[in-house]
Amino acid sequence: MMTCDDAGRWLDDLVDGDLGEALASEVRAHLDACAACRAEECRRRELVLEAASLPREIQPSGDLWAGIAARLSEPVGIVEARPVRRWTVWSGMAAAAVLLVAGTALVTAHLVRSRPRAVTARASSPAAIVPAAITSELNAPQVDLERAAGALRAALESRRGQLSPATLKVVDENLAIIDAAIDRLQAALREDPGNRALVTLLTATWERKIDLLQTASELARTS
Amino acid sequence: MKKTLFALLILALALPAVAEVRIDETRQVAADATVTVENISGSLRLSGWGKNEVQVTGTLGRGLEKVEITGSGSRLDVRVIYPRNCHDCGGADLEIRVPVGCRLEVNTVSADIEVGEVSGEGRFESVSGTVTVATSGPSLRVKSVSGDVVIRGAGPRVEANTVSGTLTARMPTLQEGDLESVSGDIRIEAEIAAKGRVEAQTVSGDVELRLPAAVGADFEVHSFSGDIRNEFGHEARRTSEYGPGRELEFSNGDGSARVYVKTLSGEIRLLKR
């Protein structure tokens, strides 16, 4: 008999319709007997339904982004006037806002990539491929990720000198690897827009980029 | 005489800069304490022992100031202090003994991390250092940028990611594993636990899974342009008539576990152990 832990591990797959029939029956049998797991299954199904309309709803507003952009474009001279304290306060607020944007976009992208197949069926004809739902769903969060990454990159550039040459080399080389990977994934998605595996890889690669920029910025701040 | 005095003076001035400082500190902590360790360069070797103590021994290289140890009881923070903007400082080579069941969080820049004989949760991150872990804790998270990650033993849940390092997980059994890279290769050699779940994905690295011939799992394998080699007897098929993508889905044994592998251009090898 399946335990709650076992069932919990398969709930997402069950909700997504990704489980084989035998395993799905086993999980359903547990749900029939366990009110707590049944409630959790309902919660996840509701989450997936909400996710269907999420990308546009949780995009950061233009006002929020405008505020972040304004902070990021403040003259460096102001930072230099009171180097440490001012930068720390500014970078803390701006970084938090940038990461909020990045986090929101990543959650959106994650929900998009893990949405049930029925919602975004694979395109079956060339005509359907061009405006494929899957890529347009990804576009909104990706625009936010690009902006967040750009802002983090700008913050990093402003304090490159604080990283050791060796660390800087590793960061630059790996950012180049990530950027090349994103370019290749986007090119592949243009070729095969319905390919969900590519969407998963693209989202994960953006996560790595945001993560690396965040790590490098933090290292520069504390070096 | 003047020359000798001059030489001695130079030596005296130079000594502090080249001298290594030895560290030997011990603190009491709870058996399940959270222990955090930060170091930039050099090496960290962490291992568990039966005492409710954290012992830090080792040496600090050129220019390093000290090891700051703060907290007690349920949390202890060990941090190597480097002078600001010191780009030619030496590294710190530390050996740290911790309570076997403590929770570990370790961060380095280029320092290698080696961890063994601990059974608590662990989170290990390095930019370019190699991370080698053998634990039995309930969950393990490892992250690197270019450093290689080697997992020689772990508890039920393993999460590891890197940009360009190689991820290697060789362990008796894997229950839940998430291994991701951008360009680094991923190698997994393990038995997959019944009802387990393993995911490996990389953009351009190769993925190699060495599994027992009788492994009970459903496999879902996707590659956009890389080869798929499968010793379990099933062939990959095209996923779209418009792109080069290929996928392979099959069931082996009782099919109770799930194995997902994705790559853009890397080669995927499913091999029998």
Side-chain angles (χ1 to χ4, degrees):
Chain A
M1 181 69 182
M2 198 170 255
T3 65
C4 291
D5 278 351
D6 293 335
R9 200 177 312 128
W10 298 118
L11 271 188
D12 280 337
D13 286 340
L14 181 75
V15 170
D16 287 354
D18 280 352
L19 279 190
E21 194 42 48
L23 189 51
S25 299
E26 213 178 327
V27 178
R28 279 193 214 102
H30 176 83
L31 295 179
D32 288 343
C34 176
C37 289
R38 212 161 48 239
E40 178 61 21
E41 184 216 4
C42 284
R43 197 186 67 75
R44 293 192 195 190
R45 285 194 188 279
E46 283 167 9
L47 188 66
V48 168
L49 286 174
E50 286 170 16
S53 58
L54 201 50
R56 267 172 285 281
E57 288 175 6
I58 65 172
Q59 270 189 73
S61 69
D63 288 348
L64 172 61
W65 179 255
I68 297 165
R71 285 175 186 281
L72 290 168
S73 61
E74 277 179 12
V76 175
I78 296 174
V79 176
E80 286 172 351
R82 296 170 65 186
V84 178
R85 192 174 178 80
R86 176 95 184 196
W87 172 262
T88 306
V89 171
W90 173 88
S91 69
M93 292 168 68
V98 166
L99 291 175
L100 174 66
V101 173
T104 304
L106 284 170
V107 167
T108 306
H110 179 75
L111 287 169
V112 166
R113 77 175 175 175
S114 61
R115 197 173 297 172
R117 283 172 182 166
V119 177
T120 52
R122 182 164 288 165
S124 57
S125 70
I129 278 178
V130 180
I134 195 167
T135 45
S136 63
E137 283 169 356
L138 191 64
N139 282 342
Q142 184 159 313
V143 168
D144 288 335
L145 288 168
E146 281 169 6
R147 287 200 291 199
L152 284 167
R153 183 104 195 205
L156 175 63
E157 290 302 322
S158 72
R159 45 174 58 184
R160 283 175 70 87
Q162 286 166 264
L163 287 174
S164 74
T167 305
L168 210 47
K169 186 167 181 280
V170 171
V171 169
D172 286 343
E173 283 175 357
N174 283 276
L175 281 173
I177 288 170
I178 291 172
D179 285 340
I182 288 173
D183 286 347
R184 291 181 63 201
L185 285 164
Q186 286 170 334
L189 264 170
R190 282 193 293 275
E191 206 173 328
D192 188 4
N195 192 323
R196 189 162 288 278
L198 292 178
V199 176
T200 304
L201 285 169
L202 183 58
T203 308
T205 308
W206 271 109
E207 285 182 36
R208 293 284 79 72
K209 180 167 181 173
I210 297 290
D211 199 31
L212 174 53
L213 284 167
Q214 194 184 350
T215 300
S217 299
E218 181 61 16
L219 280 173
R221 192 180 67 77
T222 55
S223 288
Chain B
M1 182 63 180
K2 273 185 184 172
K3 278 184 182 170
T4 309
L5 279 174
F6 183 71
L8 282 171
L9 180 65
I10 294 294
L11 188 62
L13 288 171
L15 266 178
V18 298
E20 287 190 335
V21 178
R22 284 208 60 78
I23 299 292
D24 191 348
E25 301 273 350
T26 302
R27 298 285 190 281
Q28 299 285 323
V29 292
D32 60 351
T34 294
V35 178
T36 75
V37 184
E38 284 181 31
N39 184 19
I40 292 180
S41 62
S43 65
L44 292 175
R45 292 184 64 188
L46 297 103
S47 57
W49 64 357
K51 299 178 183 177
N52 291 347
E53 292 177 348
V54 172
Q55 182 190 59
V56 183
T57 57
T59 55
L60 300 185
R62 184 185 61 245
L64 300 196
E65 293 176 352
K66 61 176 180 175
V67 174
E68 182 182 81
I69 303 176
T70 55
S72 63
S74 63
R75 183 183 175 99
L76 193 79
D77 301 312
V78 180
R79 191 164 161 243
V80 181
I81 305 296
Y82 287 72
R84 285 191 76 81
N85 293 315
C86 182
H87 295 160
D88 62 347
C89 283
D93 297 302
L94 300 180
E95 192 154 342
I96 303 176
R97 307 296 300 273
V98 297
V100 71
C102 78
R103 183 171 181 275
L104 277 173
E105 291 178 17
V106 180
N107 283 279
T108 74
V109 178
S110 63
D112 295 337
I113 303 171
E114 194 177 330
V115 188
E117 299 163 49
V118 287
S119 61
E121 282 183 19
R123 199 170 72 189
F124 308 98
E125 296 184 8
S126 180
V127 174
S128 58
T130 297
V131 184
T132 307
V133 187
T135 78
S136 57
S139 74
L140 169 66
R141 296 174 71 180
V142 187
K143 192 166 84 175
S144 88
V145 178
S146 64
D148 293 340
V149 174
V150 181
I151 300 167
R152 293 200 178 122
R157 282 187 295 282
V158 175
E159 193 182 317
N161 67 64
T162 177
V163 177
S164 59
T166 297
L167 291 182
T168 307
R170 284 201 182 91
M171 60 187 75
T173 308
L174 188 54
Q175 172 85 41
E176 272 185 65
D178 282 291
L179 288 89
E180 293 183 15
S181 82
V182 178
S183 66
D185 294 341
I186 299 176
R187 297 190 196 105
I188 300 172
E189 185 172 342
E191 189 163 320
I192 312 294
K195 298 174 186 170
R197 178 188 174 103
V198 176
E199 291 196 48
Q201 61 181 45
T202 170
V203 178
S204 57
D206 294 341
V207 181
E208 181 176 295
L209 270 77
R210 280 185 183 275
L211 307 170
V215 62
D218 278 351
F219 289 80
E220 200 175 308
V221 179
H222 297 268
S223 177
F224 184 73
S225 59
D227 290 336
I228 299 177
R229 180 177 155 205
N230 180 22
E231 288 188 352
F232 290 85
H234 304 262
E235 294 220 349
R237 63 177 178 80
R238 292 277 298 274
T239 55
S240 162
E241 56 187 299
Y242 310 109
R246 298 202 309 149
E247 71 179 15
L248 171 62
E249 290 187 29
F250 67 96
S251 190
N252 196 70
D254 67 5
S256 76
R258 297 290 289 260
V259 176
Y260 303 95
V261 185
K262 298 181 189 76
T263 175
L264 173 74
S265 58
E267 182 187 14
I268 298 173
R269 296 185 293 274
L270 304 179
L271 308 177
K272 289 181 181 175
R273 200 162 62 175

